[in-house]
Amino acid sequence: MVSPSAFVRTLVVAALAAVLAFAPAHAQQVVTVTTTTVTWTYDDTGDGADYSDEGAALLDDEALAEDADFAATRRYAPNAALATLGHAKATYGPFSVIDATTVRMAGDVTSATPRQFAAMLAAFPGLKRLEMVDCPGSLDEEANLILARAVRRQGMETVVPAGGSIRSGAVELWLAGVTRRAAPDAEFGVHSWADEYGREANDYPASDPVHAEYLGYYREMGMDAAKARAFYALTNATPFDDVRYLTRDDMARFVTLN
């Protein structure tokens, strides 16, 4: 016969065993908390002024993806390591201000980029030269065309320097220059745009207004009707997931280079 005290000990041991049996399952439950940190930085240029990184205070790409309804995109994979932009007075998104007249660009155009460009011009109104060092394209085509027209209104020169590479929507941005320059080894990557449903330019009928938007933009940037149609057809002949690289001389067939 089992004594009352032994029976109680048995119950306690059984209860502990039951708790321990479930413990590993509970231990495997992990809660991950993701936080976003905005860092304000400044660059001591030696001229007695500190320039804050105002672009860092704007929404980043991840936040924009959650906040915005993206439409068509023209983008190709960025270089594994973006080109060094050199010593900068200030940065605004993909833009690095080098001096009173020159800004260098490396990175994508997002929905925030037109705001970053406007903030940069407010601080440095004399900027006239946009050097496009390594520009994969645009995550938001509407923002890209807004930015391009802002570049044109500013009367800026667009330049692809030696070793520079611009792809996808960045090629349209380069076209916005009042004057355009490119080094002999500059590369221009083109391909079709795609909308948020994965449909590409050639999936739409020729009469669709979306084509007129692009053709109108090319005309606005100086191409005649025939060259605008030819350039648009050339870009859309390559699928969105691929890229065709053009040279400086290829681009000179469509627009004047200085």
Side-chain angles (χ1 to χ4, degrees), residues 20-153:
L20 292 173
F22 286 99
H26 289 292
Q28 292 176 2
Q29 295 180 4
V30 178
V31 177
T32 301
V33 178
T34 301
T35 62
T36 300
T37 302
V38 175
T39 303
W40 292 86
T41 63
Y42 67 90
D43 193 344
D44 185 358
T45 63
D47 59 4
D50 292 337
Y51 298 94
S52 62
D53 183 1
E54 296 182 21
L58 299 174
L59 291 175
D60 59 17
D61 290 353
E62 181 178 355
L64 285 166
E66 297 174 354
D67 186 60
D69 181 16
F70 290 115
T73 61
R74 272 189 193 269
R75 183 182 189 275
Y76 199 69
N79 204 326
L82 290 178
T84 301
L85 295 181
H87 187 75
K89 289 179 175 291
T91 60
Y92 299 80
F95 303 111
S96 294
V97 178
I98 304 305
D99 55 42
T101 60
T102 304
V103 57
R104 291 184 183 141
M105 180 179 181
D108 287 310
V109 173
T110 72
S111 297
T113 312
R115 300 198 307 271
Q116 293 164 340
F117 184 78
M120 179 178 67
L121 289 186
F124 300 91
L127 291 172
K128 290 296 180 183
R129 179 182 173 92
L130 174 60
E131 295 183 358
M132 304 177 71
V133 179
D134 187 5
C135 304
S138 66
L139 299 176
D140 185 331
E141 273 289 79
E142 182 179 359
N144 195 50
L145 296 182
I146 290 172
L147 175 63
R149 290 183 170 102
V151 168
R152 174 57 65 97
R153 285 195 302 272

